[in-house]
């Protein structure tokens, strides 16, 4: 038996069969466990419990022994101090352990470091606030490096002195009466001047890129889809676009408290927030899926009203002309599908940083208006409420309702006003 104590998480536990498996933290290997594996004081294991155990080999497979539950774990917004076990510069992240919660790994991302000018190393002690990630792991945010290993390298020296113990420095000065210049030689050692380079964020008054910060939305223009976040006591306003707001089912609101991180602007461009979440959702800042990706993005009240309008219009058309009714239904279905595709493309575009030519996959607004004008506006009206799409942009909404009015007028003219005209008579039932 391997008497070393291991830590892990119960991945599965089947109570009826009294067996399950444990994922080991260090090796990520699944270790078999059964009722005989449990410690006498721990007889009711559940999936997700943090446990400690020993490993022995039985019938050529690893089996857990002496399994007992460790500290139940952390809570959101708890403070923690961890000792960094590993830091991968290529992935800009690492993990460490908290001695007060043995066996519970805590992960750290470079974006969550308070000081972006320092790179953590194994052995550093970091202090910060805990956030639970959707995958069950714990993240340390607003992390501050409290201490470093004793082997800290010497700071970079600039204008280092020559490799001599003592040097002669010549000082020039003048008499007050503009007399001749006098030279004096003073024998003294020249000490190397040590300078710590200032972080780039101090230049041009920019915020540190890729560092999580908190602020308040001071301005939001919902029609244009952009606003500003006030950061800190300096009242520095940071621009952000609706595509940076990491939600599908809600919009930014003035006065809302948010967390965000900024880009590193190219010279000539202004700095802006590239991902924004509401305060408390920081663990989703670096997820591709937003916190509300499982929620239905439907405006039920608007969907009900719009559906009634569409059904009433199509019913009146069907009473007067079955032919025109089927034409309008087909065009409405096509318009509904176009709105759904355009909404999906907009969501995917907002999740990634794309080049300008990659936005050409969006369906042109003129095409959407053309389908409405040809009689597909009932389907478009339902789709706008079902997908919350094209409902806030004022110019689009105005043109949309104009196409609705024009189509209704044309329909009235064809089926009622000019109903007796031989050219339109074939449309009537």
């Amino acid at each position: 038996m391997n008497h070393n104590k291991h830590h892990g998480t119960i991945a599965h536990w089947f109570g009826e069969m009294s067996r399950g498996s444990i994922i080991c933290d260090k090796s990520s290997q699944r270790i078999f466990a059964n009722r005989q594996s449990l410690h006498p004081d721990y007889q009711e294991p559940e999936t997700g419990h943090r446990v400690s155990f020993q490993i022995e080999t039985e019938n050529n497979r690893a089996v857990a022994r002496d399994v007992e539950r460790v500290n139940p774990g952390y809570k959101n917004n708890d403070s923690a101090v961890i000792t960094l076990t590993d830091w991968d510069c290529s992935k800009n992240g690492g993990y460490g352990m908290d001695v007060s919660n043995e066996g519970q790994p805590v992960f750290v991302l470079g974006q969550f470091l308070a000081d972006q000018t320092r790179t953590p190393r194994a052995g550093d002690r970091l202090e910060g606030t805990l956030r639970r990630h959707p995958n069950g792991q714990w993240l340390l945010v607003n992390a501050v490096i409290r201490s470093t290993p004793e082997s800290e390298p010497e700071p970079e020296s600039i204008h280092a002195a020559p490799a001599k113990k003592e040097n002669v420095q010549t000082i020039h000065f003048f008499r007050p009466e503009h007399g001749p210049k006098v030279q004096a030689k003073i024998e003294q050692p020249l000490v190397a001047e040590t300078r710590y380079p200032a972080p780039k964020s101090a230049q041009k008054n920019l915020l540190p890129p890729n560092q999580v910060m908190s602020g308040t939305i001071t301005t939001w223009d919902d029609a244009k889809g952009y606003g500003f976040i006030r950061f800190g006591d300096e009242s520095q306003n940071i621009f952000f676009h609706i595509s940076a707001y990491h939600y599908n089912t809600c919009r930014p609101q003035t006065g809302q408290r948010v967390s965000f991180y900024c880009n590193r602007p190219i010279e000539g461009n202004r700095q802006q927030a590239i991902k924004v979440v509401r305060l408390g959702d920081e663990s989703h800042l670096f997820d591709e899926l937003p916190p509300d990706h499982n929620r239905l993005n439907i405006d039920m009240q608007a969907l009900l009203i719009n559906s009634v309008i569409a059904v009433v219009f199509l019913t009146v058309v069907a009473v007067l002309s079955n032919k025109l009714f089927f034409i309008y239904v087909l065009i409405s279905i096509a318009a509904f599908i176009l709105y759904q595709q355009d909404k999906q493309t907009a969501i995917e575009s907002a999740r990634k940083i794309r080049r300008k030519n990659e936005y050409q996959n969006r369906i042109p607004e003129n095409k959407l208006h053309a389908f409405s004008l040809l009689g597909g506006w009932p389907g478009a009206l339902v789709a706008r409420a079902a997908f919350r799409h094209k409902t806030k942009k004022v110019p689009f909404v105005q043109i949309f309702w104009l196409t609705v009015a024009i189509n209704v007028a044309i329909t009235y003219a064809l089926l009622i006003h000019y109903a007796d005209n031989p050219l339109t008579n074939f449309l009537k039932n």
Side-chain angles (χ1 to χ4, degrees):
M1 177 188 292
N2 184 351
H3 293 282
N4 293 330
K5 181 175 287 190
H6 302 270
H7 293 87
T9 304
I10 296 181
H12 298 94
W13 184 261
F14 305 99
E16 296 179 356
M17 296 185 291
S18 297
R19 64 178 59 184
S21 62
I22 303 171
I23 297 181
C24 183
D25 288 340
K26 291 185 178 180
S27 64
S28 299
Q29 179 185 4
R30 287 183 179 267
I31 310 298
F32 174 79
N34 54 21
R35 181 65 64 180
Q36 289 72 33
S37 303
L38 303 178
H39 190 275
D41 296 333
Y42 180 56
Q43 293 297 312
E44 295 183 359
E46 295 180 10
T47 301
H49 279 184
R50 294 286 305 168
V51 294
S52 64
F53 56 95
Q54 296 177 355
I55 299 177
E56 71 174 21
T57 302
E58 183 178 294
N59 296 329
N60 294 325
R61 72 171 175 177
V63 179
R65 288 287 181 260
D66 197 23
V67 179
E68 55 183 340
R69 190 176 183 184
V70 298
N71 192 313
Y74 301 114
K75 295 180 180 179
N76 270 320
N77 300 319
D78 280 354
S79 297
V81 179
I82 67 170
T83 301
L84 200 62
T85 303
D86 181 54
W87 184 265
D88 190 336
C89 291
S90 63
K91 298 180 179 178
N92 196 27
Y95 73 96
M97 296 291 181
D98 181 3
V99 293
S100 65
N101 197 349
E102 186 179 5
Q104 177 69 66
V106 178
F107 293 86
V108 186
L109 297 177
Q111 295 89 336
F112 290 121
L113 294 175
D115 186 355
Q116 294 288 309
T117 64
R118 298 179 63 181
T119 301
R121 295 182 296 121
D124 286 351
R125 293 180 66 83
L126 277 66
E127 180 178 356
T129 305
L130 292 167
R131 292 281 191 275
R132 189 176 183 85
H133 194 271
N135 65 8
Q137 301 291 354
W138 288 95
L139 292 173
L140 193 69
V141 302
N142 299 324
V144 179
I145 302 176
R146 291 303 185 193
S147 61
T148 58
E150 297 180 357
S151 58
E152 181 76 23
E154 294 295 329
E156 181 183 1
S157 294
I158 304 176
H159 305 303
K164 294 182 180 180
K165 293 183 178 181
E166 294 186 352
N167 295 278
V168 178
Q169 183 179 13
T170 302
I171 301 178
H172 303 274
F173 59 92
F174 295 87
R175 294 183 183 276
E177 298 81 13
H178 305 285
K181 181 170 67 174
V182 179
Q183 293 185 353
K185 292 185 178 181
I186 303 175
E187 294 187 357
Q188 59 182 11
L190 288 176
V191 182
E193 180 183 2
T194 303
R195 299 178 183 175
Y196 292 90
K200 294 182 179 180
S201 59
Q203 305 170 7
K204 301 181 181 179
N205 198 29
L206 295 178
L207 296 179
N210 299 322
Q211 177 181 334
V212 178
M213 294 167 283
S214 298
T216 304
I217 298 178
T218 57
T219 305
W220 175 251
D221 190 329
D222 207 54
K224 297 181 180 179
Y226 69 83
F228 292 89
I229 302 172
R230 185 180 68 243
F231 169 71
D233 298 333
E234 300 177 358
S235 298
Q236 186 171 3
N237 290 328
I238 305 299
F239 173 86
F240 77 104
H241 188 259
I242 184 59
S243 61
Y245 197 66
H246 199 40
Y247 296 93
N248 289 337
T249 62
C250 57
R251 309 278 290 187
Q253 301 291 333
T254 301
Q256 194 174 54
R257 293 279 296 165
V258 294
S259 294
F260 63 97
Y261 64 91
C262 299
N263 63 345
R264 189 187 301 275
I266 303 174
E267 187 174 356
N269 296 333
R270 65 177 169 184
Q271 191 176 42
Q272 61 180 337
I274 55 178
K275 190 70 73 64
V276 182
V277 297
R278 289 177 295 191
L279 205 64
D281 288 340
E282 288 81 3
S283 59
H284 295 273
L285 268 174
F286 301 96
D287 284 349
E288 182 178 353
L289 295 176
D292 57 351
H293 67 278
N294 288 326
R295 303 176 196 166
L296 291 176
N297 187 22
I298 300 176
D299 186 345
M300 293 303 299
Q301 182 178 358
L303 179 61
L304 180 61
I305 296 173
N306 292 358
S307 299
V308 170
I309 295 173
V311 170
V312 169
F313 174 76
L314 291 175
T315 302
V316 172
V317 173
V319 171
L320 298 175
S321 173
N322 289 333
K323 296 178 182 178
L324 197 59
F325 168 77
F326 285 115
I327 293 174
Y328 281 0
V329 167
L330 292 176
I331 300 177
S332 293
I333 294 174
F336 186 92
I337 295 174
L338 287 177
Y339 272 80
Q340 188 272 336
Q341 291 177 347
D342 192 52
K343 177 65 176 181
Q344 187 63 31
T345 304
I347 293 174
E348 293 176 356
S349 298
R351 289 175 185 168
K352 300 178 181 179
I353 300 175
R354 294 171 173 257
R355 300 185 299 271
K356 288 184 178 179
N357 58 357
E358 292 187 71
Y359 286 94
Q360 294 176 357
N361 292 329
R362 292 290 300 273
I363 297 174
E365 292 183 353
N366 291 338
K367 186 175 182 179
L368 298 176
H369 290 317
F371 272 78
S372 297
L373 185 62
L374 294 174
W377 65 264
L381 193 63
V382 174
R384 291 173 69 242
F387 306 121
R388 287 184 184 265
H389 191 46
K390 300 293 186 181
T391 60
K392 299 292 184 179
K393 192 175 180 181
V394 176
F396 182 92
V397 174
Q398 291 174 342
I399 298 175
F400 172 78
W401 286 111
L402 179 61
T403 60
V404 173
I406 294 173
N407 177 261
V408 171
I410 294 175
T411 303
Y412 173 81
L414 292 176
L415 300 182
I416 298 177
H417 192 272
Y418 296 106
D420 297 331
N421 191 303
L423 296 178
T424 60
N425 192 41
F426 75 97
L427 291 174
K428 295 185 65 177
N429 290 338

